[in-house]
Amino acid sequence: MPHPYVLLSAAVSLDGYLDDTGPDRLLLSSPADFDRVDEVRARVDAILIGAGTIRADNPRLLVNSEKRRAARTAAGKPEYPLKVTVSGSGDLDPDARFWHTGGDKVLYTTDRGADRARALGLATDVVPLGPDLDWRRLLTHLHDVRGVRRLMVEGGGLIHTQLLTQGLADELQLVLAPLFVGDPRAPRLFGPGGYQGGRLRLLESRQIEDVVLMRYEPTAPGTGPLPTAADHHWLTLACELAERCPPSDTAFSVGAVVVAADGTELARGHSREAGDPVVHAEEAALAKLDPADPRLPGATVYSSLEPCARRASRPAPCARLILDAGVRRVVTAWREPDTFVTDADGSGLLAAQGVEVVVLPEHEERAQAPNRHLPG
Ligand SMILES: NC(=O)C1=CN([C@@H]2O[C@H](COP(=O)(O)OP(=O)(O)OC[C@H]3O[C@@H](n4cnc5c(N)ncnc54)[C@H](OP(=O)(O)O)[C@@H]3O)[C@@H](O)[C@H]2O)C=CC1
Ligand SMILES: Nc1c(N[C@@H]2O[C@H](COP(=O)(O)O)[C@@H](O)[C@H]2O)[nH]c(=O)[nH]c1=O
């Protein structure tokens, strides 16, 4: 199910806190950084915060710049992004500024919380998500029902921790402020949890007055049938590699990436690379690895087209090569059409041997793009 692009945004002290325990909100960002945050807000469809942040900060969560609001309206968007909050209890102050400023609002909650929110008369749409709050359901609802394609999450820590540990964050925008909080009762940016093992990818770092903005992308593949945000990023890369293939009228253009469980890229390849007229993407990528590499059994192979099941030009099809490499998870964008081989079912072949095959149809068009000239 498609989700919006999820961007986590926070400002943090040098000792990792989001706030102090005083009655007022701690200003961690500098003036120019608050203006950058306003710009990021202006570019999203919705902004989400947790109930804890409403209670602690009583925020309005607006786009403050009139010019930016005018640009949104001129582009046919609502003046303000949708404001979204999350509460299990539904126990929120009906007079909080969140409900009475800006444009549309929505509260995602539990069945029990919805009863409480309605009894309190909160000025918002109330969407119960069942006995417990499920983040994937929430993101799917925002995408499908509210049309949200880009979501900014402005904390607090409990919200950021869940989205990151559940593999649902596409990007983390973190501002490091040059001050200490030093109070263990203060809220931390990230709590304990099952974070990805390896390193995130640094997309950008930038000084803004006396703070530093760091933009990171999570990299760890999912571990089962449900895709993580990183799965989407790696499959996007595979589709980009497909566009680099030397053109052919008699073979597909495909890209592939092999990624370790901790998010380390192990190898990449594309069809007909390095002057080999028949080499396939997965074959090219796997050939760059030591077959005894201990990371292979935990790795995921991303391929823009499902791995081939039969081929004439080589002794083993790619599905066989993947099985022989010991890889147990494959993510692909496009099931193979009957263009060159009828009823090719590489996914079936892999699944029959217990490999988890995940198809992400959101990427199908991109995977097909360099193959549009082929028949069928
Ligand atoms: N420096 C910065 O950039 C930012 C700082 N902050 C600071 O962070 C602090 C607040 O953070 P924090 O205390 O972590 O609170 P959060 O804002 O993360 O909200 C937590 C609340 O959200 C609801 N919630 C979250 N996840 C779930 C779930 N899975 N199921 C049901 N309900 C859920 C619960 O509401 P309920 O209790 O109603 O059930 C929970 O108590 C404040 O001090 C604020 O100033 C906040 C944002 C940004
Ligand atoms: N303190 C802090 C942030 N806090 C965030 O800003 C929200 C309030 O926004 P507003 O309603 O516009 O005043 C607040 O609830 C929380 O989500 N954000 C940052 O970028 N930097 C900061 O230092």
Side-chain angles (χ1 to χ4, degrees), residues 207-296:
Q207 180 177 349
I208 303 167
E209 296 172 339
D210 67 348
V211 305
V212 181
L213 166 70
M214 291 159 286
R215 292 177 50 232
Y216 294 101
E217 186 180 81
T219 51
T223 51
L226 297 175
T228 61
D231 280 334
H232 287 284
H233 296 173
W234 288 116
L235 192 56
T236 300
L237 172 62
C239 293
E240 280 166 17
L241 293 170
E243 280 161 13
R244 292 191 206 165
C245 301
S248 167
D249 288 332
T250 54
F252 290 114
S253 291
V254 182
V257 196
V258 186
V259 181
D262 71 356
T264 306
E265 179 180 327
L266 300 179
R268 58 172 76 182
H270 61 75
S271 313
R272 301 177 290 289
E273 77 173 33
D276 181 336
V278 294
V279 75
H280 283 187
E282 305 90 315
E283 180 190 15
L286 289 169
K288 292 167 190 158
L289 291 168
D290 176 353
D293 190 318
R295 296 170 296 181
L296 277 168

Side-chain angles (χ1 to χ4, degrees), residues 11 25-29 34 37 41 53 57 59-61 154:
R25 177 170 71 124
L26 177 67
L27 300 183
L28 291 141
S29 294
F34 275 119
V37 170
R41 286 182 183 178
T53 300
D57 291 356
R60 293 167 312 147
L61 232 61
E154 287 204 55

Side-chain angles (χ1 to χ4, degrees), residues 76-93:
K77 295 180 191 166
E79 185 179 7
Y80 293 101
L82 174 71
K83 294 203 284 191
V84 184
T85 190
V86 172
S87 162
S89 69
D91 206 359
L92 284 152
D93 179 0

Side-chain angles (χ1 to χ4, degrees), residues 298-355:
T300 294
V301 168
Y302 297 86
S303 185
S304 58
L305 175 68
E306 73 175 313
C308 65
R310 293 195 295 282
R311 62 187 296 191
S313 56
R314 290 279 208 256
C318 291
R320 185 73 255 159
L321 298 178
I322 288 169
L323 290 169
D324 290 348
V327 171
R328 309 300 296 154
R329 188 166 182 268
V330 171
V331 178
T332 186
W334 183 25
R335 298 296 310 274
E336 183 170 340
D338 287 348
T339 312
F340 301 115
V341 174
T342 39
D343 299 326
D345 182 21
S347 300
L349 214 143
L350 289 161
Q353 299 299 313
V355 173

